[in-house]
Amino acid sequence: MLKLIHLKVLAILSIYIFIAQSAKVIHEPGRCIWYDQCGTNPDTGKPVNCFYNGKAKPLMDPEGLKILNDLCPWLVTGDHPLTCCSTSQMKTFQGSLQVPQQTFARCPSCYRNFANLYCMMTCSPDNSLFVNPTKVINVTDSSYLKIEKLTPKDIGQDVTNEEIKETKVLAAENSPKNITNSTTAITSIDYILAHDYADGFYNSCYHVNFPSSNVKALSLFCGLCGGYDKCAPECFLNFMGDINNGQTPFAINFTITDNPLPDNMVAANHTAHKCSEGVGNSSLPCSCQDCPATCPPSPPRPMPTPPCMVGKLGCVTFAMIMGFIAFVMVFTLAFICCVKSNKCHQGTSLNAANEDIFYRKPAITEKDVGCRESIGQKEQQMLNMLFQKWGTMCAGHPFVVLFIGLVVICGAGIGIRQFIVITDPVELWSPPKSQSRLEKNYFDDNFGPFYRTEQLIITAPSFHAKPYETYQGETIPFGPVLQKEILHQVLDLQDSIANLKVPYKDSTITLDDICYKPLSENCTIMSVLNYWQNSHKELDRVQKDQQGFWTVADYHDHFMACIVAPTSLNDTSRLHTPCMGTFGGPIFPWLAVGGYDAANYNNATALVITMTVNNYKNEDPKLEKAKVWEKGYLTYMKQFTAENRNPNLTIAFYAERSVEDEIDRESNSDILTIALSYLLMFAYVTFALGQYNSIERLLIDSKIVLGLSGVALVLCSVVAAIGILSFAKVPATLIVIEVVPFLVLAVGVDNIFILVQAYQRDVRHNYESRAEHIGRILGQVGPSMLLTSSSESIAFYLGALSDMPAVKAFSLYAATAVFIDFLLQITCFIAVLALDSGRQENNRFDMCCCIKNKMAGEAPKEPGLLYRAVCYYANFLMNDVVRYITIIFFALLAFASGIGLSKVEIGLDQKLSMPEGSYVIDLFNAQANYMTAGPPVYFVVRDGFNYTEVENQNMICGGSGCNSDSLTSQVYNAAQLSDISFIAQPASSWLDDYFDWVSPGGEYTCCRTDYDGNFCPATEDNDNCTTCRPLSEKQKRPDPEEFTKFLPFFLKDNPTVKCSKGGHAAYGAAVTFDNKEKTKVGATYFMTYHSILKTSSDYISALRNAREVADNITKMMNHTNDDGTYFDVYPYSVIYVYYEQYLTMVHDTWFNLSMSLLAIFIVTFLLLGFDVYSALIIVLTIALITLDLIGLMYVWSVDLNAISLVNLVMSVGISVEFCSHITRAFAISTEPTRVERSIAALSQMGSSVLSGITLTKFLGIVVLAFSKSQIFQVFYFRMYLGIVVFGASHGLIFLPVLLSFIGPPVNKARLLEDEDNRLRVKNSSADERSPLITPRTDIQGYTNA
């Protein structure tokens, strides 16, 4: 590179020597190279300067002096300074600075250095020392002349001092005279700069921002370099000197050198102001955004919190291991002591018990009974009596009960007509009063709903990257999707989508009818093909050399120019075609291509096409039209990909409605799976309730009708719950439809098995009728059913305190359904049981009660196989070694789950919400693999902020003079740490661009009005339009009146080449007004982008960090506010409303689980006769089940989110079924030891729990493994299986063992009553004994089976 520079310098030096010898151009102080203007350049159509090599002339014209003082104050050395420029040149110079002023004026030192560069060249009295003409023309016929053939008179070398004096006098009389009388104009020069100035000028401008497009300003000038990162002073200057840039009137060949030059020439040098320095007394240094040197010391880069480690183990893991070891040591020691002291004996076996125990003398007196025990026993007696009377009444009047129940169910079910199912993800996961929901509503109300997006990500896997050799000889690789053949095919697809006609009512609609059109009549299509204005012709355009042989520029060059300067209306290639899209806005490369490395967009492996569609609120009828077109678009794309219409392209596509559509499809696709699951459970229930002792009684002892009735009542309870809550306007969700029936069936089936099996094992007393018998059984098991159902209902009702709509709806529907199911079980099911028992006693067939088998005989009262197996299992479990191993194993399981407790991921992989094989999954994968830009984020300033006050402006803006902690500055600082903040770029600032737009200066200012005060858009040339503000206000911000007057003009002005700061494109929707007159600014936003977000953790961190930035901005804005008003800034992105729940997910989980456990503790404590021991044991067991389930979530990759939270809450409810029945049986048992009481409780209730909820749920869950829905596979199959496995294992293994160690002591009041009963039994018939009053008889002798 250095060699090339040296060769270039030598070549230029040789040219200078040749020209100096031939043309004898004089280079000396005080001598010019031009003066005044002579016609126009035929190559550019712009004014050119007259070739004048004479002495510098005094500038006498007041207008010219004023312009010179404004642009080049350092050249004003006196009243009539000597210059090499006339007033006409000064005016042209002033006009040419309009674009640089808009671009660089936000950094005064950069703009001053830029102006000085051209001040030296244009007006310096010594410009012949560093400017040399290389090409001249005759302005009369536009013919090119040879400099060596010009005479001294032609170039003004012979102008005398007297003529100059004459000019001075004439100028003083306002009669300017061109003393050169030249017809020779310069169309090309060499401009020699010293390194100090060139580098200083370049460095002062290097970091200046261009807010509207969120790029560096230099990127607009470095297209020939290959991008901003590859820019250098030489490239920057070469672009500015190239006539192809559309602004330069004649060619300027910049050369940077410090080497000696011939003919007295020297490199131009001047003080290059650093960006950290002010220019004169009237300006401040550039802002931190535009000049890192002015930034305050950066705080230390936030480092990720190092994980807590103990050696190579995490602290949690280490603590769990040490805790387990400590527990094992303490428990082992206690167990050994217990065994040696004979306090942990197994107790007698079932068949070896001595009947004398029934006749032992009372060991308990009334004095031994405490108040709590007495009240508890009376409570149990009252519950038994109430349920017994209630059961007797229902069993005695079955048809009346069934009729009333049917009427009540039908009455409640009428409400289903008002049943509403929420499918909108926003309504489903975001609480109406949540921060993100309120912020979304505010954004929608002020700026309109965020637009709908239709997106395609296209790859060409069968194509490969190809190198492209530029005209200059540089080789640039181009990715496979950037081959012209592929671009043409993609353009065909894009056009077919844009022209797609979809039937709508009596007409058709196209994309043009619904799309977002910010500036023109064309839709906003963010596509790389918009670099060529979506035109095949423009894509094929090439530029040949003068001989028409070599291609000097084609679509490759245009692409390279546009990715550097996407806002360019005239690219830096020789094609001179625009980069702006047909919709009037830029196409940012990071949004239009993907799969590239760093910023090398030319290596892209994917094209991204994003079509934006106007969005409306749900109640707006216009929304339907957009959804209809989207449906047609999706249908077209599905056919296109299914039929493989273009084998070269692999396409992932998406529409705004896609997620909601796929969720609906997913639910429908699993109807068969869910139905099969329920049918399998129904079939099991109907089979398992029956007694199968002989073939003769097979059809008599079966319980198909009874089982189906129980299942039907479960479904009726769900229907009634839905109806009642629909009356109350409580909307449901898909989770309610999918989960609540499963939950209620679990609870209902368990109670059905307990009730039916208790009746089947009991012997009717001689004095009892069938209704009294059933009533007595209900009196025995009813309190247990009440305990579980009330615990679950209250726990779920407390879960409704959650703000999350999905959890709230589930809790309300589940609690109501469980409660109604309990009511139906103790009424309608009792009635059906009475009818079925009568049928069975009369030996009538099940399902065909009109047929009677007279030869069947009576049903034998024998214990079932499962019952006997559980009894022997209970004895085995109470072996000391087994009990010890059990406690150690479950402790190990709990501590291991504790390790996973802190490692469960939070969030929901969006791919899991889609059915297997969904086209949306392909889109999600493509986004993760190829896209590099995240969703836009808006920093919204709520209304009430006064933008007309300078102090307030400084809190927002990012240019010179603005606060270092202003809004845009803080967002800029966050963008510098994008890997931490997830903010990719500085925010576009309408306020900064408005200041540049409204600033006067140049021949053609942006802000113009006509004589009547009407606004003149920059797109119109009107001689009647003048600048809005006088030039004297150039360095000043608009006053309050000007601010409010001209701001609406700025917001409707389209950007042009002459006025790139027009705000309509970038900020048309960013500013609202609080009144129709548009004199009071309302809410505004400042937009930027998140960096690419791939995981739930990324989305959550992006939200959290954006809020942190906004909170800091809000604190800054209110820190110096003394008038009592409060300013508020918040971040908004369309994704926040979905991910806010995860910020508090851990808290919500603990809250819901804690409230559920608290409710269970209170209800258990009350209904078990104020038994604290039993309540604590039940809560402990349920907590361990939940803990193990969370551990399973970590092992089985189930994230914590709203769905899994609902399942955790449900697991607490279902766990009650596994624990409460056995614990209550233990609590009311009067066996002499805890071991025997555990055996009795497990024998009495274990078979019902195993055959009821455990096997029923297990069969239904297995089917879910074959679901097509990933949601069902992950969150339902895995978690439901865990609920059943952990619930059954804890309820049937761990809990009995735990009770045998630390179960509640025997209720002395009950023991006293039991001993009194035993005394009475001694004198009564054994046939009248109740198995539940004398449980040992039931356990040991099976007399009641």
Side-chain angles (χ1 to χ4, degrees):
M1 183 66 181
L2 185 61
K3 182 178 179 181
L4 291 175
I5 294 174
H6 287 164
L7 290 174
K8 182 177 179 181
V9 171
L10 291 175
I12 292 172
L13 292 178
S14 64
I15 293 174
Y16 292 160
I17 294 172
F18 175 76
I19 293 177
Q21 290 175 349
S22 301
K24 297 181 180 179
V25 176
I26 301 173
H27 302 283
E28 63 180 12
R31 188 171 291 273
C32 302
I33 208 65
W34 54 43
Y35 193 86
D36 213 353
Q37 293 180 329
C38 298
T40 58
N41 187 342
D43 294 330
T44 63
K46 298 181 182 296
V48 289
N49 300 327
C50 303
F51 191 0
Y52 169 72
N53 194 213
K55 294 289 186 177
K57 303 178 182 184
L59 184 60
M60 310 298 294
D61 182 26
E63 182 181 3
L65 282 170
K66 184 178 180 181
I67 297 175
L68 182 67
N69 188 64
D70 180 49
L71 300 181
C72 314
W74 59 278
L75 288 177
V76 182
T77 56
D79 294 338
H80 304 291
L82 296 175
T83 66
C84 290
C85 59
S86 65
T87 300
S88 60
Q89 284 178 279
M90 292 298 300
K91 290 181 178 180
T92 302
F93 178 27
Q94 184 185 46
S96 66
L97 286 179
Q98 177 67 26
V99 173
Q101 177 186 336
Q102 297 171 30
T103 306
F104 296 118
R106 59 183 280 121
C107 179
S109 55
C110 167
Y111 175 67
R112 172 51 56 198
N113 290 335
F114 191 101
N116 286 347
L117 175 71
Y118 289 95
C119 285
M120 290 189 294
M121 182 190 77
T122 306
C123 294
S124 172
D126 304 320
N127 67 6
S128 66
L129 291 175
F130 39 79
V131 178
N132 194 68
T134 56
K135 188 180 294 185
V136 298
I137 62 169
N138 187 329
V139 296
T140 59
D141 57 8
S142 298
S143 61
Y144 286 94
L145 304 174
K146 292 184 178 181
I147 296 176
E148 62 271 19
K149 293 185 178 181
L150 297 176
T151 66
K153 184 176 181 180
D154 292 330
I155 59 176
Q157 289 181 350
D158 55 354
V159 176
T160 64
N161 290 333
E162 287 72 14
E163 290 176 308
I164 295 177
K165 291 178 181 179
E166 180 184 356
T167 305
K168 181 176 181 179
V169 174
L170 292 173
E173 298 173 355
N174 293 325
S175 301
K177 176 184 177 183
N178 182 357
I179 64 170
T180 63
N181 294 317
S182 177
T183 60
T184 306
I186 299 176
T187 59
S188 178
I189 64 169
D190 286 333
Y191 187 5
I192 316 301
L193 294 175
H195 271 289
D196 286 346
Y197 184 77
D199 294 342
F201 163 40
Y202 174 79
N203 291 334
S204 69
C205 297
Y206 185 73
H207 294 282
V208 176
N209 285 295
F210 195 77
S212 62
S213 58
N214 276 325
V215 298
K216 297 296 184 181
L218 274 190
S219 66
L220 306 176
F221 297 83
C222 294
L224 297 176
C225 312
Y228 171 75
D229 295 334
K230 300 178 182 178
C231 197
E234 293 84 356
C235 183
F236 174 40
L237 293 171
N238 286 340
F239 172 80
M240 293 195 297
D242 190 349
I243 62 173
N244 293 317
N245 62 28
Q247 299 296 313
T248 303
F250 50 84
I252 306 174
N253 305 308
F254 288 95
T255 299
I256 305 174
T257 182
D258 292 330
N259 295 328
L261 301 173
D263 297 328
N264 297 322
M265 292 188 71
V266 294
N269 203 354
H270 190 72
T271 301
H273 301 282
K274 296 181 180 179
C275 63
S276 58
E277 302 172 348
V279 180
N281 298 323
S282 61
S283 71
L284 297 172
C286 303
S287 69
C288 174
Q289 297 182 44
D290 302 319
C291 179
T294 62
C295 294
S298 300
R301 180 182 176 86
M303 300 299 294
T305 303
C308 179
M309 301 294 291
V310 179
K312 294 184 178 181
L313 295 176
C315 289
V316 175
T317 303
F318 178 79
M320 292 296 106
I321 293 176
M322 297 306 297
F324 175 69
I325 293 175
F327 174 82
V328 171
M329 294 175 62
V330 172
F331 176 74
T332 302
L333 181 62
F335 184 78
I336 293 174
C337 294
C338 183
V339 171
K340 287 186 176 181
S341 63
N342 201 31
K343 294 182 179 180
C344 295
H345 60 82
Q346 297 183 140
T348 56
S349 65
L350 289 176
N351 296 322
N354 192 331
E355 286 292 330
D356 289 341
I357 193 171
F358 292 100
Y359 305 102
R360 60 190 176 187
K361 296 180 180 181
I364 300 294
T365 65
E366 292 185 359
K367 296 181 180 180
D368 297 323
V369 179
C371 179
R372 181 193 63 80
E373 295 173 315
S374 177
I375 295 175
Q377 179 60 18
K378 289 180 180 179
E379 178 193 60
Q380 293 300 313
Q381 290 175 343
M382 181 186 66
L383 289 175
N384 291 344
M385 180 186 66
L386 289 176
F387 276 105
Q388 182 171 348
K389 290 183 177 181
W390 179 263
T392 301
M393 181 192 69
C394 293
H397 306 85
F399 293 106
V400 175
V401 171
L402 288 175
F403 176 76
I404 295 175
L406 181 63
V407 171
V408 172
I409 292 170
C410 292
I414 294 176
I416 291 181
R417 293 182 301 176
Q418 303 179 34
F419 185 52
I420 301 174
V421 178
I422 297 177
T423 57
D424 184 356
V426 175
E427 299 288 341
L428 191 62
W429 306 119
S430 179
K433 300 298 182 182
S434 68
Q435 180 179 345
S436 64
R437 187 72 172 277
L438 296 175
E439 290 171 349
K440 177 185 183 298
N441 293 339
Y442 185 88
F443 186 92
D444 292 349
D445 292 340
N446 286 273
F447 308 106
F450 189 77
Y451 51 77
R452 305 175 70 86
T453 56
E454 332 298 338
Q455 191 172 76
L456 299 95
I457 300 179
I458 303 172
T459 57
S462 60
F463 281 65
H464 303 284
K466 290 184 179 180
Y468 168 68
E469 186 173 351
T470 66
Y471 184 67
Q472 293 78 18
E474 183 182 2
T475 300
I476 302 175
F478 271 73
V481 292
L482 295 177
Q483 309 304 315
K484 183 184 290 188
E485 178 183 353
I486 294 297
L487 291 175
H488 276 298
Q489 294 174 16
V490 174
L491 180 55
D492 288 335
L493 174 61
Q494 179 179 300
D495 288 341
S496 65
I497 294 173
N499 298 322
L500 181 65
K501 294 182 179 180
V502 179
Y504 177 70
K505 296 183 178 179
D506 297 331
S507 61
T508 59
I509 53 175
T510 65
L511 178 63
D512 188 69
D513 298 318
I514 61 172
C515 69
Y516 176 61
K517 304 175 183 177
L519 295 180
S520 64
E521 295 301 319
N522 296 313
C523 294
T524 299
I525 300 179
M526 196 64 65
S527 166
V528 72
L529 294 160
N530 236 329
Y531 284 149
W532 297 275
Q533 291 70 56
N534 299 325
S535 168
H536 288 284
K537 181 179 179 181
E538 290 298 320
L539 184 58
D540 289 330
R541 182 187 294 275
V542 295
Q543 181 65 41
K544 298 288 186 178
D545 60 8
Q546 293 181 351
Q547 291 74 30
F549 185 74
W550 296 103
T551 298
V552 297
D554 65 1
Y555 84 96
H556 295 94
D557 302 271
H558 183 68
F559 175 82
M560 295 302 296
C562 290
I563 61 176
V564 174
T567 59
S568 174
L569 295 175
N570 185 348
D571 69 10
T572 54
S573 74
R574 302 196 181 188
L575 292 172
H576 307 303
T577 53
C579 295
M580 296 281 276
T582 56
F583 60 92
I587 296 91
F588 299 116
W590 59 85
L591 298 178
V593 297
Y596 51 84
D597 55 299
N600 299 314
Y601 305 111
N602 51 288
N603 291 331
T605 57
L607 299 180
V608 182
I609 300 176
T610 305
M611 297 164 284
T612 54
V613 173
N614 290 317
N615 202 1
Y616 307 94
K617 293 186 177 181
N618 291 333
E619 60 272 14
D620 196 320
K622 296 178 182 177
L623 184 61
E624 181 186 359
K625 184 182 292 187
K627 289 187 173 182
V628 169
W629 186 88
E630 288 174 350
K631 185 175 182 180
Y633 152 71
L634 292 174
T635 301
Y636 174 80
M637 289 308 305
K638 290 175 183 177
Q639 293 175 350
F640 188 95
T641 54
E643 296 171 4
N644 196 22
R645 296 181 185 178
N646 191 328
N648 294 330
L649 305 179
T650 297
I651 306 171
F653 56 93
Y654 170 87
E656 187 72 21
R657 63 177 293 161
S658 291
V659 171
E660 191 171 344
D661 285 351
E662 288 299 279
I663 290 176
D664 290 341
R665 185 174 73 86
E666 179 182 49
S667 301
N668 295 331
S669 66
D670 281 312
I671 290 178
L672 181 61
T673 304
I674 298 172
L676 181 61
S677 174
Y678 282 114
L679 287 175
L680 191 60
M681 289 188 287
F682 296 165
Y684 168 76
V685 170
T686 57
F687 172 79
L689 282 178
Q691 295 174 305
Y692 308 101
N693 298 308
S694 64
I695 298 178
E696 291 81 4
R697 298 190 58 84
L698 179 64
L699 297 180
I700 298 174
D701 294 337
S702 66
K703 300 292 183 181
I704 296 176
V705 172
L706 182 64
L708 289 177
S709 299
V711 171
L713 290 177
V714 169
L715 298 180
C716 287
S717 67
V718 176
V719 170
I722 293 176
I724 292 173
L725 292 175
S726 296
F727 270 128
K729 306 297 182 182
V730 178
T733 67
L734 291 176
I735 292 180
V736 168
I737 298 174
E738 295 164 349
V739 177
V740 169
F742 187 92
L743 168 67
V744 180
L745 186 64
V747 175
V749 165
D750 197 36
N751 289 338
I752 288 172
F753 272 85
I754 290 174
L755 182 60
V756 173
Q757 290 180 353
Y759 178 77
Q760 290 173 339
R761 296 168 188 165
D762 191 75
V763 177
R764 185 180 305 162
H765 296 170
N766 293 332
Y767 57 82
E768 286 182 326
S769 65
R770 183 185 306 109
E772 291 173 335
H773 184 197
I774 294 175
R776 178 167 57 83
I777 296 301
L778 183 61
Q780 296 167 4
V781 300
S784 185
M785 296 169 59
L786 175 64
L787 172 64
T788 57
S789 298
S790 58
S791 297
E792 292 157 0
S793 295
I794 295 176
F796 288 139
Y797 275 126
L798 289 177
L801 296 175
S802 173
D803 291 330
M804 193 176 301
V807 177
K808 180 188 291 290
F810 163 77
S811 298
L812 287 174
Y813 277 89
T816 306
V818 168
F819 180 72
I820 293 175
D821 183 51
F822 168 72
L823 295 180
L824 293 178
Q825 285 176 338
I826 63 173
T827 54
C828 295
F829 187 76
I830 291 295
V832 175
L833 178 62
L835 293 175
D836 186 75
S837 62
R839 173 201 62 77
Q840 185 179 15
E841 290 174 4
N842 290 326
N843 292 333
R844 296 184 180 275
F845 286 174
D846 192 18
M847 296 187 67
C848 190
C849 58
C850 59
I851 301 177
K852 184 176 181 180
N853 186 353
K854 298 180 180 180
M855 306 298 295
E858 294 185 0
K861 287 289 185 178
E862 296 180 359
L865 179 62
L866 185 61
Y867 178 80
R868 286 179 287 182
V870 170
C871 290
Y872 285 106
Y873 161 75
N875 271 301
F876 169 77
L877 186 64
M878 291 300 112
N879 180 277
D880 284 343
V881 176
V882 175
R883 286 196 297 158
Y884 175 81
I885 295 175
T886 297
I887 295 297
I888 295 300
F889 172 78
F890 279 92
L892 175 63
L893 188 61
F895 281 104
S897 298
I899 296 175
L901 184 65
S902 61
K903 296 182 179 182
V904 175
E905 295 290 335
I906 299 175
L908 173 62
D909 185 351
Q910 52 189 351
K911 290 183 287 188
L912 290 179
S913 61
M914 298 294 103
E916 286 185 346
S918 171
Y919 68 92
V920 180
I921 295 179
D922 296 333
L923 189 282
F924 289 156
N925 290 331
Q927 286 179 334
N929 294 333
Y930 299 113
M931 294 193 69
T932 57
V937 55
Y938 303 85
F939 285 88
V940 179
V941 182
R942 296 181 188 266
D943 57 354
F945 189 79
N946 187 356
Y947 291 90
T948 63
E949 296 180 1
V950 174
E951 290 185 359
N952 289 353
Q953 294 169 359
N954 290 339
M955 295 180 185
I956 301 294
C957 62
S960 178
C962 302
N963 296 348
S964 60
D965 60 350
S966 67
L967 183 152
T968 52
S969 296
Q970 293 200 43
V971 177
Y972 171 83
N973 292 334
Q976 306 312 301
L977 302 173
S978 59
D979 58 326
I980 297 175
S981 68
F982 291 94
I983 295 177
Q985 302 172 10
S988 58
S989 171
W990 64 266
L991 188 60
D992 288 280
D993 278 342
Y994 175 53
F995 288 156
D996 294 337
W997 179 87
V998 80
S999 176
E1003 180 183 13
Y1004 191 96
T1005 60
C1006 289
C1007 184
R1008 300 179 303 149
T1009 57
D1010 61 19
Y1011 299 132
D1012 297 326
N1014 299 316
F1015 174 62
C1016 297
T1019 54
E1020 298 179 5
D1021 290 327
N1022 190 335
D1023 295 336
N1024 295 325
C1025 296
T1026 58
T1027 180
C1028 297
R1029 304 171 63 216
L1031 290 176
S1032 59
E1033 302 292 321
K1034 181 177 180 180
Q1035 303 297 331
K1036 300 178 182 179
R1037 295 179 186 174
D1039 60 35
E1041 182 180 354
E1042 292 173 332
F1043 188 97
T1044 56
K1045 179 180 180 180
F1046 301 133
L1047 180 58
F1049 298 163
F1050 164 71
L1051 296 174
K1052 66 181 181 180
D1053 193 22
N1054 291 338
T1056 62
V1057 174
K1058 293 182 179 180
C1059 181
S1060 60
K1061 295 287 186 172
H1064 189 189
Y1067 310 115
V1071 181
T1072 64
F1073 294 93
D1074 286 343
N1075 54 11
K1076 295 181 179 180
E1077 294 77 17
K1078 297 185 177 181
T1079 57
K1080 184 179 180 182
V1081 178
T1084 69
Y1085 67 65
F1086 299 81
M1087 189 189 80
T1088 181
Y1089 285 89
H1090 279 304
S1091 54
I1092 186 65
L1093 308 175
K1094 296 184 177 181
T1095 64
S1096 294
S1097 177
D1098 291 344
Y1099 284 99
I1100 298 168
S1101 298
L1103 169 58
R1104 181 183 293 110
N1105 291 323
R1107 284 188 173 174
E1108 183 178 345
V1109 172
D1111 288 343
N1112 290 335
I1113 295 171
T1114 300
K1115 292 178 183 177
M1116 174 274 299
M1117 294 173 67
N1118 291 282
H1119 179 67
T1120 58
N1121 184 24
D1122 299 327
D1123 60 2
T1125 57
Y1126 181 78
F1127 305 133
D1128 183 30
V1129 177
Y1130 73 87
Y1132 170 75
S1133 182
V1134 68
I1135 63 168
Y1136 290 171
V1137 73
Y1138 305 109
Y1139 287 91
E1140 184 190 35
Q1141 57 177 306
Y1142 301 121
L1143 296 179
T1144 58
M1145 182 56 66
V1146 174
H1147 171 269
D1148 292 343
T1149 301
W1150 287 116
F1151 174 79
N1152 282 278
L1153 295 180
S1154 299
M1155 294 301 292
S1156 298
L1157 290 174
L1158 177 62
I1160 292 171
F1161 173 79
I1162 294 174
V1163 173
T1164 304
F1165 172 73
L1166 294 176
L1167 294 182
L1168 285 181
F1170 308 101
D1171 187 346
V1172 177
Y1173 285 95
S1174 297
L1176 287 175
I1177 288 175
I1178 289 174
V1179 170
L1180 173 63
T1181 306
I1182 295 174
L1184 290 177
I1185 294 173
T1186 306
L1187 176 63
D1188 292 346
L1189 185 60
I1190 296 175
L1192 177 70
M1193 290 172 59
Y1194 168 68
V1195 173
W1196 219 342
S1197 301
V1198 180
D1199 295 341
L1200 178 61
N1201 49 52
I1203 300 175
S1204 51
L1205 174 56
V1206 167
N1207 288 338
L1208 287 174
V1209 173
M1210 186 186 72
S1211 74
V1212 172
I1214 291 181
S1215 297
V1216 173
E1217 296 291 331
F1218 289 108
C1219 304
S1220 295
H1221 296 299
I1222 293 177
T1223 304
R1224 182 179 182 277
F1226 180 91
I1228 65 176
S1229 173
T1230 57
E1231 295 296 321
T1233 67
R1234 286 189 173 94
V1235 171
E1236 291 179 296
R1237 292 166 66 198
S1238 294
I1239 294 174
L1242 184 58
S1243 300
Q1244 181 179 332
M1245 289 293 182
S1247 62
S1248 297
V1249 172
L1250 179 61
S1251 61
I1253 186 173
T1254 304
L1255 295 180
T1256 303
K1257 293 291 99 179
F1258 182 79
L1259 292 174
I1261 290 169
V1262 170
V1263 179
L1264 296 181
F1266 303 96
S1267 170
K1268 296 180 181 179
S1269 167
Q1270 297 183 87
I1271 287 284
F1272 272 83
Q1273 292 177 8
V1274 174
F1275 293 100
Y1276 294 148
F1277 168 69
R1278 296 179 186 179
M1279 292 195 72
Y1280 285 7
L1281 183 63
I1283 292 172
V1284 172
V1285 171
F1286 290 131
S1289 60
H1290 281 77
L1292 299 176
I1293 302 175
F1294 171 76
L1295 180 60
V1297 173
L1298 181 66
L1299 289 171
S1300 72
F1301 282 114
I1302 59 172
V1306 177
N1307 187 304
K1308 295 178 181 179
R1310 182 170 183 79
L1311 183 60
L1312 180 62
E1313 179 185 357
D1314 189 50
E1315 290 177 344
D1316 290 341
N1317 290 335
R1318 286 169 181 154
L1319 292 175
R1320 287 194 298 271
V1321 167
K1322 181 178 180 181
N1323 301 318
S1324 63
S1325 172
D1327 293 337
E1328 297 179 354
R1329 298 174 190 170
S1330 170
L1332 294 182
I1333 294 178
T1334 58
R1336 291 194 68 198
T1337 305
D1338 178 43
I1339 294 172
Q1340 294 176 347
Y1342 303 101
T1343 58
N1344 297 327

